[in-house]
Amino acid sequence: MQNTRKRKQIFPKNNKQQSEITITKIKSNKTKKNPKTDTIEPYPSHPRPTPEDCLAIRDELLEFQGFPEEFAKYRDERENPELNSSKLINGSEKSEVSAEKLSVLDGLVSIVLSQNTTDVNSQKAFGSLKAAFPTWELVLAADQNLLENAIRCGGLAPTKASCIRNILSCLKERSGKLCLEYLRDLSIDEIKSELSSFKGIGPKTVACVLMFHLQLDDFPVDTHIATTLGWVPEGADAKKTYLHLNRRIPNELKFDLNCLLFTHGKMCNRCSTKTVKQEKKESVNKPCPLLNHCKKSD
């Protein structure tokens, strides 16, 4: 039967009243703190970003470019928790929903393959891997050269293949199952500890798994944009930037802001350190909406 439930609107456009409601909600949730990470303040005297900064940039980027289509399925999963179920077949996790629904382990591997390459190449590498080895058991049993060949189009094949094999080997040794769905029952700090224990898995990969594949509130680091906006001091490193932004950005806005800033950074020559010309096209003839939010020049 077709679901006729009306989807709630979570991305207001030019709606001052809705923005004020969002700010009220954000301020009311400030008392809900993480007992471990919320005690860490790497830049206690640095005032930005404020909740108002985050909301204004979210709304302006949304008006400027719309919500990125590539992240729409993850938004749907956050709105509809029933889409997150999975099951085990012969010890490996399989999605019950559709071919587009990734398990947590699928998601982690796809993020590993996305490192230091384009979206197109990483998607090709993941598709090639799944076509060559339909189950994670087959990946674990595969010869290293065959595994590298399957993902070579994504670049850094030897490094990424070793990382994937290490993840699978550790999972097999720990639980006998190639599955990460148990992470859904853990706290954010426990999930971070589990994922960080895999060799080659850093904070940004962990944050992406939390946000996209576990539907939890976290904010992956982009030190370039954070510095440009004046959200962190000059010279801030990635670790301290991550701690600072995840403390200051309201949970209600982390998913929105990450998706919008990530997409904007690819499209805007001014806001990115990369030079992928074919992806940077929208801001050529439009003023960058972040200009008014950037720190003042010295």
Side-chain angles (χ1 to χ4, degrees):
M1 179 180 296
Q2 185 178 4
N3 187 352
T4 58
R5 180 172 63 88
K6 184 177 180 180
R7 176 176 293 174
K8 65 179 181 179
Q9 178 68 26
I10 62 172
F11 299 113
K13 293 185 179 182
N14 295 325
N15 191 324
K16 182 177 180 181
Q17 183 180 12
Q18 182 62 53
S19 293
E20 290 173 351
I21 293 172
T22 303
I23 282 291
T24 301
K25 181 179 178 183
I26 289 169
K27 290 181 177 179
S28 70
N29 285 341
K30 281 187 175 181
T31 57
K32 299 178 181 179
K33 297 182 178 181
N34 185 306
K36 291 185 179 180
T37 59
D38 231 50
T39 60
I40 301 171
E41 179 59 277
Y43 303 116
S45 62
H46 195 82
R48 300 185 66 196
T50 65
E52 291 79 8
D53 289 335
C54 297
L55 182 62
I57 289 177
R58 191 283 301 271
D59 287 351
E60 289 178 36
L61 283 177
L62 185 63
E63 178 67 22
F64 179 73
Q65 65 196 36
F67 188 75
E69 183 63 31
E70 65 184 297
F71 298 120
K73 65 178 181 180
Y74 300 113
R75 181 188 63 185
D76 289 342
E77 289 171 12
R78 293 173 73 89
E79 289 188 87
N80 301 287
E82 65 273 10
L83 296 180
N84 297 325
S85 61
S86 64
K87 60 184 177 180
L88 294 179
I89 299 178
N90 296 326
S92 296
E93 58 185 36
K94 295 287 185 179
S95 171
E96 290 182 327
V97 183
S98 70
E100 294 185 359
K101 170 69 175 72
L102 299 182
S103 68
V104 180
L105 181 53
D106 288 341
L108 175 59
V109 172
S110 70
I111 293 168
V112 169
L113 292 174
S114 73
Q115 296 168 358
N116 298 295
T117 191
T118 65
D119 294 341
V120 172
N121 285 342
S122 68
Q123 291 167 11
K124 286 182 179 178
F126 185 75
S128 175
L129 176 65
K130 299 294 280 187
F133 308 105
T135 70
W136 293 118
E137 292 283 355
L138 291 174
V139 174
L140 182 59
D143 181 81
Q144 179 77 5
N145 291 332
L146 294 178
L147 180 54
E148 291 178 16
N149 288 337
I151 63 174
R152 197 168 303 281
C153 60
L156 299 176
T159 300
K160 294 177 182 180
S162 295
C163 181
I164 293 168
R165 288 176 67 89
N166 177 69
I167 293 169
L168 298 178
S169 296
C170 290
L171 282 174
K172 192 72 171 180
E173 183 178 344
R174 292 175 187 178
S175 64
K177 297 177 181 178
L178 301 183
C179 177
L180 283 174
E181 296 303 307
Y182 70 90
L183 294 179
R184 297 189 186 280
D185 297 323
L186 304 183
S187 69
I188 288 182
D189 283 299
E190 289 171 334
I191 294 169
K192 289 180 179 180
S193 178
E194 285 281 306
L195 292 176
S196 298
S197 69
F198 297 124
K199 184 178 180 180
I201 302 302
K204 190 166 186 176
T205 297
V206 172
C208 288
V209 172
L210 284 166
M211 185 174 63
F212 292 121
H213 303 289
L214 290 169
Q215 295 75 46
L216 295 173
D217 297 313
D218 211 66
F219 194 83
V221 173
D222 187 318
T223 53
H224 174 70
I225 288 183
T227 303
T228 299
L229 289 171
W231 284 5
V232 292
E234 283 285 351
D237 62 28
K239 181 177 181 180
K240 289 182 179 179
T241 298
Y242 172 80
L243 293 172
H244 180 75
L245 295 184
N246 274 282
R247 179 179 173 86
R248 295 301 181 89
I249 298 174
N251 283 339
E252 292 82 358
L253 298 177
K254 286 177 179 177
F255 179 79
D256 307 29
L257 271 177
N258 179 76
C259 296
L260 289 162
L261 285 171
F262 174 80
T263 301
H264 182 73
K266 291 197 302 179
M267 298 163 63
C268 179
N269 286 306
R270 185 188 182 282
C271 293
S272 176
T273 58
K274 299 179 181 180
T275 56
V276 184
K277 294 182 180 179
Q278 54 269 41
E279 291 184 332
K280 298 179 185 303
K281 47 193 177 184
E282 286 294 329
S283 63
V284 173
N285 298 315
K286 298 181 182 180
C288 173
L290 300 186
L291 285 176
N292 293 331
H293 298 279
C294 291
K295 62 183 180 181
K296 301 298 182 183
S297 301
D298 295 332

